[in-house]
Amino acid sequence: MCSLSDGCVPLSAVQVRCGRGVCLCSPLDMELAYVCDWEKRQKNAHCPSIPVVCSWSCRNLVAFTTDLKSDDNEKDVSHMIHIIDTEHPWDVFSINSGHTEVISCLEWDQSGSRLLSADGDGQIKCWSMTDHLVNSWESILSSSLDRDPIIALSWLHNGVKLALHVEMSGSTNFGEKFSRVKFSPSLTLFGGKPMEGWLAVTVSGLVSVSLLKPGGSLLTASESLCRLRGRVALADIAFTGGGNIVVAATDGSSSSPVQFYKVVVSVVSEKCRIDTELLPSLFLRCTTDPMRRDKYPAVTHLKFLTRENSEQVLLCASNQTGSIVECWSLRKEGLPVNNIFQHRSPVVGEKQPTILKWRILTTTGDLERVSSVALPKLPIAISNTDLKVAPDTKFCPGLGLALAFHDGSIQIHHRLSLHFMGIYYSSSSSGPRPGDEATLKRQRTSGPFLHFKALQFSWTSLALVGIDNYGKLHMLRVSPSMCQVLDMNTTLRHLLFLLEYCMVTGYDWWDVLLHVLPNMVHNLVEKLHEEYMRQNQALQQVLATRIVAVKASLCKLSAATAARACDFHAKLLLMAISSTLKSLLRPHVLNTPDKSPGDRLSEICAKNTDTDIDKVMINLKTEEFVLDGPPLQSLQQLIQWVGDFVLYLLANLPNQGSMVRPGFGFMRDGASLGMLREMLVMIRIWGLLKPGCLPTFTAMSDSQDSLQLLFRLLTKLWLCSREDGPTQEPDEGLIDECCLLPSQLLVPSMDWLPVNDGVIVKLQGKNPLKLQFGKASSLPGAAGGAPLEALTRSPGSQKMDNLRCVFLGVCPTEESKACTRCGCVTMLRSPNKTNAMKQWEQRWIKNCLCGGLWRRIPAALS
């Protein structure tokens, strides 16, 4: 079991032997965040001799493989696929994959919702979520190559590529920081739509393509990589901007050439066609060195530096005790002309002929034996210009690749120059220990070490997941500074840059939160809001919900901002309810003007500052609000939530002397208050048509018009914080009226969204968590401070469906699901049959309102 006290580098920098000489490294380069272990009865189930595969999706789902032996028959091995979300690593979904041989490849698709698995028997299976739940998966499609082991697997490229411009990180325009690169899909349908499918390379030199036809069936084809088929021990797949596919292959011997092939996929007469072409090959540098010619006989790792760049490749050659790593680049070079033609007068416009040739960029010295390699996924260009910019910006994420060694250590090297950048020691590695410099000279023992058999970077390169030879899962933080001493402003700028990248791409930002300390939260939220407000109106509308979700997850990391997290979650629900209710409005006549009824409602409510709800209602065309009775009645619980929320905000206005209490964020949010005011007007009109849909209030007087009272007070508060006017403090009269509100109406206790039970809040301390698969973590959060009253739940309290806004009872009998990001709980099956409620539920059938994924809550926890 790894522990931080044993595994991290001491505060005083130590000398580390690496291929580039003596280097200095910082204790904060890499550190263990948590480690997940199996129960004792399963601890020795994994076979250490069998290879392990690991893959990390853009939605922060990790899939890895292990193999379990049967107690009755040692030869009976089950090939298991395990899928976790990094926020709840103990909630593992284990699949008996049905593969008859060892699983050799795992690949997520670009959306992070489907998974490919391939084995040594030529079987490929496509796995998809059941009911959009991360802990429920099923095999939906499969293809097979008769007993031909698969060694490389990839989804076809969909043509979407985003470039990250680090040198523009100070720009105020997201379009300058993150730009769309012109990139063609591997295969297109009619109209340019990318066709989905996957490509596999087998050990016999066969390339196979499976295409997903619009009807759901598969179209498959196979072709030899070259005319003379031979054994392929290692292969990797990359894509070009022109829509071609490049395959790199080697037979495993370092004295043999590494071959490259261009693969073109097309569909002709409803049949898949594959064309292949031989490209320039290369020989490893270590085989041409007289000192190392026979030292590293086997090629153990072959990888393109990025999937979208087929011109740079990483090679690792090894022997029983050590390895060497080489980085190569494909370049255009002038073709030398024979002396006969040297004196010929040149033709105007004639250029010297060129040829593509592989050139070595750099190589390491002799290293420990490499057990696994992880390459970063952050789309940073690595040209010479970018290398010059990196020292100026001090932005390191995405520049380093990770090498895991058989002694249990992990080193980060620059992915182009292979310069040493950082190191991590596991508790069983034989690296240097604090206060023990003599270990550097000590001979290594011959006992078995814990080492990482599979390693994967997160999508922002700020975290590493590793699976060791005993099947344990280790999550490591990777410092964004990597050996550099950065001031707080620079660190905040880097984290802000990556949060903006996640917002634009839609990727999960969990790995960025690993590096956010409680004292950074307030500054990050404010700077993120400032950058968001500088974008054009169209982009702001696209990112409106994502930025609220990012702010909510940031605010949970600090006790000082936990109340604001409640406000952001409430704002997400408020925005969704407002959009749903407005979408029910229909124009009364067919020849409608440009503006929809919802837009006209917003415009009239913004202009009319009257505190009398009936006078505002007169200016509206009430015929546009006419709906049938059943839709209104089915939405009553959402209407009730709006009424209760307005009452809660107004009743707590006198108590908002600080930012600690939930609801404070709405007191100065003119847009949200205006949204609430619009919905009260809609509710007032619908109440005239269907009184049963009105929110129910417990009033102290029978003559009390509750909706009129709430609208009057809400309008006064809205006038103090309008966007088109100066911000003012609420006057004494408004505060006095709000003080009397609890004596007029019974104020409900708002059931705020529950605290997420994941690990991110508990990782703010530097001590790693030790977890077990199948056992939920019960450790307290490290944010410090007493929990807010709105966030606490007594064991006998009512459980609530946070999205349908209905109570489930103390012991719910309905199956439930929870958001992996915010912890929002809702029923798995819908109890409603009306179209209006189905329209509401369709908003979060695939994802939570915050964008997080759903996971089924185990019966014991629900």
Side-chain angles (χ1 to χ4, degrees):
M1 187 77 68
C2 292
S3 64
L4 189 64
S5 59
D6 293 333
C8 276
V9 187
L11 287 174
S12 58
V14 297
Q15 292 182 338
V16 180
R17 285 200 182 102
C18 66
R20 313 299 286 182
V22 176
C23 302
L24 298 179
C25 63
S26 160
L28 301 179
D29 293 338
M30 283 186 285
E31 58 186 10
L32 187 66
Y34 63 73
V35 57
C36 250
D37 197 0
W38 298 98
E39 296 180 9
K40 292 183 179 179
R41 60 183 174 84
Q42 294 180 332
K43 193 168 261 188
N44 297 320
H46 174 64
C47 310
S49 60
I50 295 179
V52 177
V53 188
C54 176
S55 186
W56 192 329
S57 81
C58 62
R59 307 299 298 276
N60 275 323
L61 299 179
V62 174
F64 63 101
T65 63
T66 59
D67 296 271
L68 299 178
K69 288 183 178 179
S70 172
D71 295 334
D72 303 328
N73 185 1
E74 285 291 322
K75 295 183 180 180
D76 186 10
V77 179
S78 299
H79 305 288
M80 309 293 294
I81 299 175
H82 310 283
I83 300 175
I84 65 165
D85 72 280
T86 53
E87 179 71 341
H88 304 84
W90 58 84
D91 188 11
V92 60
F93 184 75
S94 299
I95 309 169
N96 191 341
S97 64
H99 284 290
T100 55
E101 293 292 337
V102 175
I103 299 172
S104 56
C105 302
L106 286 178
E107 283 292 326
W108 291 99
D109 71 345
Q110 288 86 351
S111 67
S113 59
R114 288 177 300 180
L115 179 70
L116 288 177
S117 62
D119 66 8
D121 197 38
Q123 292 183 349
I124 303 174
K125 294 190 177 186
C126 179
W127 303 87
S128 180
M129 295 183 194
T130 306
D131 297 327
H132 309 288
L133 300 171
V134 298
N135 52 358
S136 182
W137 294 77
E138 62 180 355
S139 177
I140 54 173
L141 293 167
S142 63
S143 61
S144 179
L145 296 167
D146 291 337
R147 300 193 178 279
D148 199 354
I150 295 169
I151 56 173
L153 183 67
S154 175
W155 290 88
L156 297 181
H157 204 283
N158 61 358
V160 177
K161 183 183 178 184
L162 201 70
L164 206 69
H165 303 287
V166 180
E167 70 278 8
M168 302 299 294
S169 60
S171 173
T172 59
N173 188 355
F174 284 177
E176 296 178 354
K177 297 179 183 179
F178 321 107
S179 65
R180 180 78 177 266
V181 178
K182 187 177 180 180
F183 207 88
S184 299
S186 302
L187 188 63
T188 55
L189 295 168
F190 178 77
K193 181 182 178 182
M195 191 170 189
E196 295 183 314
W198 58 78
L199 179 139
V201 180
T202 69
V203 74
S204 67
L206 200 67
V207 58
S208 172
V209 175
S210 299
L211 303 177
L212 276 67
K213 298 174 69 175
S217 58
L218 278 180
L219 186 64
T220 61
S222 300
E223 186 64 52
S224 176
L225 281 172
C226 59
R227 292 182 179 179
L228 297 176
R229 287 173 64 182
R231 177 178 179 270
V232 178
L234 296 171
D236 198 20
I237 302 167
F239 303 92
T240 68
N244 298 325
I245 304 166
V246 177
V247 175
T250 175
D251 62 3
S253 172
S254 61
S255 59
S256 300
V258 178
Q259 301 279 4
F260 294 85
Y261 307 91
K262 182 174 77 172
V263 179
V264 181
V265 182
S266 58
V267 176
V268 181
S269 301
E270 296 296 323
K271 292 184 178 180
C272 181
R273 177 178 173 181
I274 303 173
D275 296 307
T276 61
E277 178 185 336
L278 188 64
L279 298 177
S281 58
L282 65 87
F283 282 90
L284 269 75
R285 169 63 64 87
C286 62
T287 59
T288 61
D289 185 354
M291 301 297 293
R292 294 193 176 103
R293 179 171 297 172
D294 300 320
K295 188 173 183 180
Y296 300 106
V299 180
T300 53
H301 297 88
L302 165 63
K303 290 181 180 291
F304 287 106
L305 287 186
T306 62
R307 277 292 168 92
E308 286 89 11
N309 187 355
S310 61
E311 298 178 354
Q312 290 167 336
V313 67
L314 187 82
L315 294 162
C316 176
S318 305
N319 56 27
Q320 292 296 324
T321 59
S323 297
I324 190 170
V325 178
E326 298 179 359
C327 186
W328 290 74
S329 177
L330 186 65
R331 297 177 179 176
K332 280 186 178 181
E333 294 187 358
L335 192 63
V337 181
N338 194 284
N339 293 332
I340 299 176
F341 304 99
Q342 290 289 348
H343 302 292
R344 183 174 65 89
S345 57
V347 180
V348 177
E350 184 180 4
K351 296 181 180 179
Q352 182 184 10
T354 59
I355 188 173
L356 289 173
K357 195 171 184 179
W358 285 98
R359 289 291 185 185
I360 190 166
L361 291 177
T362 186
T363 180
T364 65
D366 298 331
L367 302 171
E368 274 286 331
R369 188 179 180 187
V370 174
S371 60
S372 182
V373 177
L375 292 170
K377 302 181 178 71
L378 209 59
I380 295 179
I382 46 178
S383 63
N384 291 331
T385 305
D386 296 289
L387 291 178
K388 295 176 182 177
V389 171
D392 300 331
T393 61
K394 299 183 179 179
F395 186 84
C396 290
L399 291 180
L401 59 89
L403 302 176
F405 298 97
H406 274 267
D407 65 351
S409 64
I410 300 174
Q411 290 184 16
I412 303 289
H413 291 255
H414 194 285
R415 66 177 181 176
L416 200 61
S417 65
L418 295 182
H419 285 137
F420 177 83
M421 297 175 69
I423 195 165
Y424 166 81
Y425 294 106
S426 69
S427 59
S428 66
S429 66
S430 58
R433 290 289 178 265
D436 187 11
E437 297 180 2
T439 314
L440 285 170
K441 302 177 181 179
R442 189 181 305 161
Q443 292 293 326
R444 300 181 186 272
T445 59
S446 59
F449 291 125
L450 180 149
H451 63 273
F452 295 96
K453 303 193 72 174
L455 209 60
Q456 276 277 314
F457 267 110
S458 68
W459 281 69
T460 62
S461 305
L462 292 185
L464 265 175
V465 65
I467 312 298
D468 67 22
N469 49 328
Y470 295 101
K472 298 178 187 176
L473 181 141
H474 304 249
M475 182 65 64
L476 283 78
R477 295 182 178 97
V478 180
S479 171
S481 61
M482 294 305 298
C483 297
Q484 300 181 92
V485 179
L486 303 182
D487 58 272
M488 181 61 75
N489 289 334
T490 305
T491 302
L492 287 175
R493 188 171 68 248
H494 291 172
L495 294 177
L496 179 67
F497 185 57
L498 292 173
L499 286 174
E500 292 168 349
Y501 168 72
C502 292
M503 279 175 49
V504 171
T505 58
Y507 295 159
D508 198 284
W509 52 87
W510 179 88
D511 42 345
V512 182
L513 299 181
L514 283 174
H515 302 271
V516 178
L517 300 177
N519 60 346
M520 299 179 181
V521 171
H522 178 72
N523 288 335
L524 272 178
V525 171
E526 295 302 318
K527 290 181 181 294
L528 191 64
H529 182 74
E530 291 175 7
E531 293 296 321
Y532 169 79
M533 294 305 295
R534 290 170 179 163
Q535 309 310 310
N536 60 60
Q537 195 64 33
L539 186 57
Q540 285 188 26
Q541 290 182 1
V542 172
L543 303 178
T545 55
R546 288 184 190 170
I547 188 172
V548 178
V550 173
K551 290 177 180 178
S553 55
L554 283 170
C555 288
K556 282 188 176 182
L557 303 180
S558 171
T561 56
R564 297 187 66 185
C566 296
D567 294 347
F568 290 129
H569 284 306
K571 188 171 182 178
L572 283 172
L573 188 57
L574 176 62
M575 293 165 65
I577 293 176
S578 174
S579 178
T580 300
L581 296 185
K582 285 183 179 180
S583 67
L584 297 176
L585 305 180
R586 294 291 182 269
H588 183 59
V589 291
L590 294 178
N591 54 342
T592 59
D594 295 336
K595 293 183 179 178
S596 65
D599 293 335
R600 285 199 297 275
L601 170 66
S602 301
E603 185 179 351
I604 291 172
C605 288
K607 291 180 179 179
N608 195 325
T609 60
D610 204 305
T611 58
D612 190 339
I613 191 172
D614 294 325
K615 291 182 179 179
V616 177
M617 189 176 62
I618 291 174
N619 299 318
L620 294 169
K621 296 179 181 180
T622 53
E623 60 269 16
E624 295 178 343
F625 293 79
V626 175
L627 299 175
D628 296 332
L632 287 176
Q633 194 63 43
S634 64
L635 294 171
Q636 199 278 332
Q637 65 264 29
L638 301 182
I639 295 173
Q640 182 69 47
W641 184 89
V642 173
D644 288 346
F645 187 68
V646 173
L647 178 55
Y648 173 87
L649 287 181
L650 294 172
N652 282 276
L653 177 61
N655 301 324
Q656 296 294 345
S658 65
M659 296 180 65
V660 176
R661 295 181 62 85
F664 179 87
F666 285 90
M667 303 306 174
R668 300 290 184 272
D669 189 352
S672 296
L673 294 176
M675 202 181 300
L676 287 168
R677 192 166 172 266
E678 295 167 15
M679 284 192 282
L680 289 185
V681 174
M682 279 194 290
I683 293 169
R684 182 72 162 189
I685 298 175
W686 285 337
L688 300 175
L689 304 173
K690 183 73 175 178
C693 75
L694 286 172
T696 303
F697 299 102
T698 305
M700 304 306 173
S701 171
D702 294 336
S703 61
Q704 175 68 58
D705 189 345
S706 304
L707 213 57
Q708 174 78 294
L709 174 62
L710 293 178
F711 184 83
R712 180 168 59 83
L713 297 178
L714 180 64
T715 301
K716 290 183 178 180
L717 180 60
W718 169 69
L719 289 173
C720 297
S721 55
R722 292 180 65 187
E723 294 180 345
D724 55 351
T727 304
Q728 303 172 2
E729 290 295 325
D731 57 22
E732 294 295 331
L734 175 59
I735 294 178
D736 290 342
E737 286 189 85
C738 290
C739 286
L740 295 175
L741 199 56
S743 63
Q744 298 170 295
L745 298 173
L746 181 63
V747 180
S749 58
M750 288 299 294
D751 197 345
W752 299 89
L753 293 181
V755 178
N756 189 5
D757 59 347
V759 298
I760 193 66
V761 179
K762 302 163 187 176
L763 292 174
Q764 300 310 301
K766 292 303 180 182
N767 293 324
L769 298 182
K770 297 180 180 180
L771 308 170
Q772 274 196 348
F773 290 115
K775 292 185 179 180
S777 171
S778 59
L779 297 173
L788 290 170
E789 182 181 353
L791 298 176
T792 57
R793 297 285 183 274
S794 61
S797 63
Q798 287 263 5
K799 306 296 188 298
M800 188 173 182
D801 187 321
N802 299 114
L803 293 184
R804 293 185 178 91
C805 302
V806 295
F807 287 102
L808 303 177
V810 177
C811 297
T813 57
E814 293 288 333
E815 284 189 295
S816 300
K817 59 184 180 181
C819 175
T820 58
R821 180 183 292 161
C822 70
C824 181
V825 176
T826 186
M827 284 183 286
L828 190 60
R829 309 296 175 195
S830 172
N832 303 288
K833 303 300 180 183
T834 61
N835 290 332
M837 205 59 196
K838 286 181 180 178
Q839 178 184 346
W840 166 249
E841 292 174 351
Q842 283 297 318
R843 288 180 171 272
W844 36 266
I845 189 71
K846 293 183 179 179
N847 306 102
C848 177
L849 292 178
C850 71
L853 297 170
W854 293 114
R855 66 185 185 101
R856 188 194 301 268
I857 302 177
L861 300 178
S862 62

